[in-house]
Amino acid sequence: MPLVRSIALAALSLIVALPPPVPAAARRPAPAAFDTPSRIYRDPVHKFSFKMYPKWGQVPVEITEKYEVAKFFESGDRGSYFDPEVNVYRIDKKSGAGGPVTGLDPSKLDNDKLRELLEQSQAPKSTFDLAFGNLIVPEGAKNADPTKFTKITSFDKVDGKLWIHEIQRGTNPKVKTTMLLVMLAAFEKDGIEYGLRFSGPSNRRKEFEPAMKTMAKSFVFHDDKAKEVVNLDEILAGLNITPKRRGDIEKGLVKGWGVEVSPKKNYVIIYNTKSNKNLRLANTIAERIESIREQIYEVQFKPAEPIKAVSIVRICGDRNEYHKYGGPPGSAGYWNSWAEELVFYDASPAKEADDDTLAVLYHEAFHQYIYYSVGNVAPHSWFNEGHGDYYAGSRYKSHKWKVGPFDWRVGTVKNAIREGPRTFTVKKDEQSGKEVKLFASDKGYTPIKDLVAFSQGDYYSYPGVSYAQGWSLIYFLREEVPKNKKYAEKWGKILDTYFNALKREVNKEGRLRRGGFGDPEKPDRPDDGPAEPEDPDAPADPTDPTDPGSPDDPDAGGDEPPADPGFQPLQQGEASESSLEIALREAFTGVDFDEFETAWKEFTLKVSG
């Protein structure tokens, strides 16, 4: 995982495969005269200040960010990765960040300390490393040279360095290419280094270069006028949160954002108030998420032990802000297990929270709940994503919940069933020696026996249909099987058996653990939710260089995700099977998959939605 995720996914990864040049007719007109850095931004946490564009928006930085402390974007942009953005980085060199960690006995350190030391060893040594170190440039293109800078001085007379660098898509001077402009102003004082980084299209360099110099020259390390973070004592009173978690909440309170606590104090809602227009939405979400947890999640999935964690739910103001914050392309919401935060946006703003917005909430809230209830491990995707979509079909009336078909998925799975099973080839795995199926990803459905054994990487390789199949399989097992005596005798215990076996195996003392130097790398892509409601089966955006995708890949964003993203249980000793494999085997022991699949298809083709 790159050190600064939002850089890697937003500004930097656009260099991987830049889109074609934007036709002149499609370009946005030059900004109005007022669009110059003239409003002083004063940071309430770190107390620095500098002049910023008055009409630009500010979005919170992700909780997991260690060095990025502020982020701004040009209002009214097109949602392109060339949209102008300003990031502020801060490195505390007094803390001894950087350099290897040696001479430690991991057995004598707790997991939090191990993680802290590991992050320390991987820390960047300068803001130049953050701004340019993760840039992936096309073959033949040059990256920034740390020795080629001009001198610049901050408002409080601190000497600094200014880099201005352009990166083009190709090296042929005869071909017009879209280019990226990256500028960085870095200042260091008393062991603290700040970096102001601008990125945007180079065809506006004449406008942005003087503006960047204005920002840099206006920078002040400590501004006495910087206000304190809003007092959260009263709002967060009685919550079971650590000082660090409180700091995470404070970090997200940029101008225009507010905080609400759910009725039973299990959730903290951090939301863009949109001039108080979203207060009703925040209150509705706080009420609904507690209710669905109490009436459905906790009833159907009794946790391995009482859940004491207070979860964070972040509601961005709109789709653009959601993606600027870190939302993966093509998604409408995601659960970030590393940050333990659920993020989404109001998909269709109205006086009342609409069905699309709440569908995403119910889907992602399930991921958040199951993460804690089973023991900080993600179940197989058919179970995890399938249940997420199953609950996305929930409706709340008269304080009661009713689950119906999730209409985003119905048409997709029916079409796949009519196409028939996917074709595949068989290949021998070099490591295990076992034969594995390599499925084609053009059309059709995945046979159920194969679908339930899919890793997350397999599931995401064909996500449009996989999500729809996962939903329909859970809908069949929860809505049809219990009503049919014959089905119930054969398949009625599959879900409970799977969940209980997974809980048992994950929580066996000495068998599985969480944390430590052996942790998987922080995922580049968090656990995406359902595709955006307006076009769940849309092809990948051809102008989005981080989303190569394919026409049947609505949820993919960038490279195929790791098979098991986020915290996963680490095996100790010589365990012959993982907890996931054991749970799957026990759940489907004795199941005739041909009979099961036939019954599933017949039922699914009759579902209306």
Side-chain angles (χ1 to χ4, degrees), residues 20-157:
V22 179
R27 292 173 188 154
R28 183 173 50 251
F34 65 77
D35 203 357
T36 58
S38 58
R39 174 178 62 85
I40 297 178
Y41 167 74
R42 295 183 171 90
D43 190 82
V45 177
H46 300 290
K47 314 306 180 191
F48 63 83
S49 68
F50 68 101
K51 287 184 178 180
M52 188 59 208
Y53 287 102
K55 298 295 183 180
W56 280 34
Q58 183 183 6
V59 64
V61 297
E62 287 187 279
I63 286 176
T64 50
E65 291 293 353
K66 296 292 184 182
Y67 309 104
E68 185 178 23
V69 295
K71 180 162 56 175
F72 306 86
F73 61 95
E74 186 177 49
S75 301
D77 62 21
R78 301 186 309 270
S80 161
Y81 283 98
F82 287 101
D83 291 333
E85 186 173 294
V86 169
N87 311 85
V88 183
Y89 307 123
R90 181 182 187 274
I91 297 179
D92 183 356
K93 297 184 177 180
K94 297 180 296 183
S95 64
V101 176
T102 60
L104 297 176
D105 182 355
S107 66
K108 296 181 180 179
L109 297 172
D110 62 33
N111 288 334
D112 289 339
K113 186 61 177 178
L114 286 170
R115 188 175 294 106
E116 178 185 339
L117 291 171
L118 181 60
E119 289 174 348
Q120 176 183 320
S121 71
Q122 298 174 338
K125 294 181 173 61
S126 68
T127 57
F128 181 91
D129 291 343
L130 290 172
F132 296 105
N134 289 323
L135 281 174
I136 302 174
V137 299
E139 184 178 354
K142 295 182 179 180
N143 208 334
D145 185 340
T147 66
K148 293 184 178 180
F149 60 84
T150 58
K151 295 181 179 180
I152 196 165
T153 304
S154 69
F155 186 79
D156 51 355
K157 308 303 180 184

Side-chain angles (χ1 to χ4, degrees), residues 7 11 13 23 45 56 60 68 72 113 126 133 160 164 175 186 190 221-222 305 309 320 480 514 521 549 578 587 609:
I7 304 176
S13 59
V45 177
W56 280 34
E68 185 178 23
F72 306 86
K113 186 61 177 178
S126 68
I164 301 177
V175 178
D190 299 329
F221 264 76
H222 184 87
E305 58 185 38
N320 184 41
E480 175 66 7
R514 178 190 181 208
E521 186 174 305
S578 73

Side-chain angles (χ1 to χ4, degrees), residues 251-263:
K251 184 167 130 180
L253 290 182
V254 302
K255 185 178 180 180
W257 285 65
V259 176
E260 293 291 324
V261 176
S262 64

Side-chain angles (χ1 to χ4, degrees), residues 430-589:
E430 294 181 358
Q431 292 184 341
S432 66
K434 296 180 180 179
E435 290 187 338
V436 294
K437 293 180 180 179
L438 301 178
F439 284 94
S441 60
D442 52 351
K443 61 182 179 179
Y445 70 90
T446 303
I448 298 297
K449 185 176 182 179
D450 299 298
L451 180 78
V452 298
F454 270 3
S455 67
Q456 194 174 56
D458 295 328
Y459 204 80
Y460 279 176
S461 69
Y462 192 46
V465 174
S466 292
Y467 269 75
Q469 255 192 278
W471 161 77
S472 65
L473 180 56
I474 299 301
Y475 193 75
F476 172 64
L477 287 168
R478 290 211 175 273
E479 298 299 320
E480 175 66 7
V481 168
K483 299 174 184 176
N484 185 308
K485 185 177 179 180
K486 177 183 174 182
Y487 290 175
E489 289 175 353
K490 294 181 178 182
W491 311 316
K493 295 181 180 180
I494 287 175
L495 297 178
D496 287 343
T497 300
Y498 177 89
F499 180 70
N500 290 329
L502 186 59
K503 279 196 304 182
R504 181 194 69 226
E505 294 302 313
V506 168
N507 289 282
K508 277 186 176 178
E509 185 176 0
R511 168 77 181 277
L512 300 168
R513 66 184 178 87
R514 178 190 181 208
F517 277 117
D519 272 351
E521 186 174 305
K522 179 181 173 185
D524 281 342
R525 166 187 171 153
D527 184 11
D528 299 359
E532 293 174 289
E534 60 268 30
D535 193 3
D537 293 304
D541 182 355
T543 66
D544 182 353
T546 70
D547 187 12
S550 61
D552 59 2
D553 190 355
D555 293 297
D559 296 336
E560 180 180 309
D564 299 295
F567 278 122
Q568 297 295 321
L570 302 177
Q571 295 189 20
Q572 294 180 333
E574 299 297 326
S576 59
E577 293 180 291
S578 73
S579 56
L580 290 167
E581 291 170 338
I582 292 171
L584 191 68
R585 173 174 54 79
E586 292 187 14
F588 287 95
T589 294

Side-chain angles (χ1 to χ4, degrees), residues 101-287:
V101 176
T102 60
L104 297 176
D105 182 355
S107 66
K108 296 181 180 179
L109 297 172
D110 62 33
N111 288 334
D112 289 339
K113 186 61 177 178
L114 286 170
R115 188 175 294 106
E116 178 185 339
L117 291 171
L118 181 60
E119 289 174 348
Q120 176 183 320
S121 71
Q122 298 174 338
K125 294 181 173 61
S126 68
T127 57
F128 181 91
D129 291 343
L130 290 172
F132 296 105
N134 289 323
L135 281 174
I136 302 174
V137 299
E139 184 178 354
K142 295 182 179 180
N143 208 334
D145 185 340
T147 66
K148 293 184 178 180
F149 60 84
T150 58
K151 295 181 179 180
I152 196 165
T153 304
S154 69
F155 186 79
D156 51 355
K157 308 303 180 184
V158 177
D159 292 333
K161 301 174 181 179
L162 175 66
W163 288 269
I164 301 177
H165 184 63
E166 293 187 26
I167 301 173
Q168 66 183 39
R169 182 162 59 102
T171 57
N172 187 343
K174 296 182 180 181
V175 178
K176 293 183 178 181
T177 59
T178 304
M179 299 175 69
L180 176 71
L181 172 67
V182 182
M183 298 182 283
L184 172 71
F187 303 97
E188 183 174 344
K189 177 182 177 182
D190 299 329
I192 301 294
E193 182 183 358
Y194 282 100
L196 273 66
R197 178 185 184 275
F198 168 90
S199 61
S202 60
N203 60 7
R204 294 173 64 183
R205 178 170 176 170
K206 289 184 178 180
E207 168 198 351
F208 288 134
E209 184 175 336
M212 179 64 186
K213 291 178 179 178
T214 297
M215 294 181 205
K217 291 177 181 179
S218 69
F219 187 81
V220 175
F221 264 76
H222 184 87
D223 191 330
D224 291 332
K225 295 182 180 180
K227 295 181 180 180
E228 295 292 332
V229 174
V230 61
N231 192 327
L232 296 174
D233 290 343
E234 184 175 345
I235 297 174
L236 302 182
L239 263 66
N240 179 33
I241 57 172
T242 64
K244 180 183 180 303
R245 200 64 168 159
R246 179 191 173 101
D248 290 340
I249 295 171
E250 292 175 341
K251 184 167 130 180
L253 290 182
V254 302
K255 185 178 180 180
W257 285 65
V259 176
E260 293 291 324
V261 176
S262 64
K264 293 194 174 182
K265 300 185 182 299
N266 289 314
Y267 299 89
V268 176
I269 316 298
I270 306 174
Y271 68 107
N272 187 327
T273 66
K274 302 195 79 169
S275 300
N276 292 323
K277 293 179 182 178
N278 272 352
L279 177 59
R280 188 170 184 175
L281 172 66
N283 287 334
T284 297
I285 286 171
E287 176 191 5

